Amino acid sequence: MTFFALVRHGQTAWNFDRRIQGLTDIPLNETGLADARRAADTLRGETFDAVITSPLLRAQQTAEVIASELSLPAPVIAPPLHERAFGEAEGILVQEFLDRYGDWHAEVPGAESFDEVRERALAALDEIARRARARTAPRAPRLIVVTHGGLIRSLVHHASKGTIPAHGSRLLNGSVHRFVADTAGVHLLASDLGQSEELIGV
């Protein structure tokens, strides 16, 4: 068994502008640094073994703040935790995306499908859990994983059997989502879902 606290990275200038980031590597803004500190405050008082992060800068910066605030070792980069690739849609505004493609499930040249993101996310957590259990056995590891809205959304949807997130909800920057992984799969314990317009991949 492995416990995961998945954290969405803090805000960037492109988040503020409502611009699709995907794999485009945008740093945190000042609000994003505050989001990272807020996430650390949410997790403070709990025991964690490590911080794992997406390779994208906005996630790495968030992870570094959390690790520092909680006196944990430097974050470990896990490349498969990157955001959903949005192909030719990266860099455009959300409204432009919707005007051009119709909805978030449309096929976009060069973009990953939701199924591909989900399978990548599950495989990443499985590998991270396997390595962590080897280090902490017989105790179950507890890990902070800093990643992205599209990837977390795919895991929440999978673990809840599609019941959440509701259409129109979004994952706030710096939000925390708790899962446990065991031999039966990945299970959702709690998800901090904001009630606002749906923004995926930003």
Side-chain angles (χ1 to χ4, degrees):
M1 182 177 293
T2 305
F3 294 93
F4 292 101
L6 268 66
V7 179
R8 187 184 178 205
H9 64 80
Q11 187 189 84
T12 71
W14 280 24
N15 287 137
F16 182 80
D17 292 341
R18 297 165 47 81
R19 193 175 297 278
I20 295 173
Q21 291 176 119
L23 300 183
T24 307
D25 212 5
I26 309 298
L28 297 182
N29 59 19
E30 287 302 315
T31 299
L33 292 170
D35 290 335
R37 291 190 290 271
R38 176 170 52 83
D41 286 341
T42 298
L43 298 166
R44 199 180 305 280
E46 301 179 48
T47 299
F48 292 100
D49 297 293
V51 181
I52 317 295
T53 181
S54 154
L56 294 176
L57 182 58
R58 57 194 184 268
Q60 287 195 56
Q61 290 178 315
T62 303
E64 287 164 2
V65 170
I66 291 171
S68 176
E69 289 283 328
L70 301 183
S71 300
L72 291 167
V76 176
I77 295 173
L81 294 175
H82 65 76
E83 177 60 292
R84 179 188 180 193
F86 264 82
E88 69 178 27
E90 292 191 12
I92 69 174
L93 295 173
V94 168
Q95 190 57 55
E96 183 181 352
F97 178 94
L98 296 174
D99 292 343
R100 183 183 301 181
Y101 299 106
D103 64 49
W104 293 107
H105 297 274
E107 291 188 11
V108 177
E112 283 183 286
S113 70
F114 281 105
D115 288 345
E116 288 170 334
V117 174
R118 182 192 67 244
E119 293 308 310
R120 171 167 59 81
L122 289 170
L125 289 191
D126 184 66
E127 177 64 14
I128 290 167
R130 184 185 64 79
R131 293 187 179 192
R133 286 195 299 269
R135 292 192 300 270
T136 67
R139 180 177 55 81
R142 298 179 58 87
L143 306 172
I144 298 169
V145 175
V146 182
T147 183
H148 304 269
L151 188 141
I152 296 172
R153 175 176 287 271
S154 74
L155 290 169
V156 170
H157 187 269
H158 169 78
S160 70
K161 298 184 173 16
T163 60
I164 56 173
H167 182 74
S169 69
R170 71 182 177 105
L171 277 62
L172 300 176
N173 293 105
S175 57
V176 178
H177 312 267
R178 300 173 189 275
F179 297 81
V180 62
D182 58 23
T183 55
V186 174
H187 313 282
L188 181 65
L189 300 177
S191 187
D192 179 11
L193 294 172
Q195 299 302 314
S196 186
E197 59 201 330
E198 185 177 27
L199 300 179
I200 305 171
V202 299

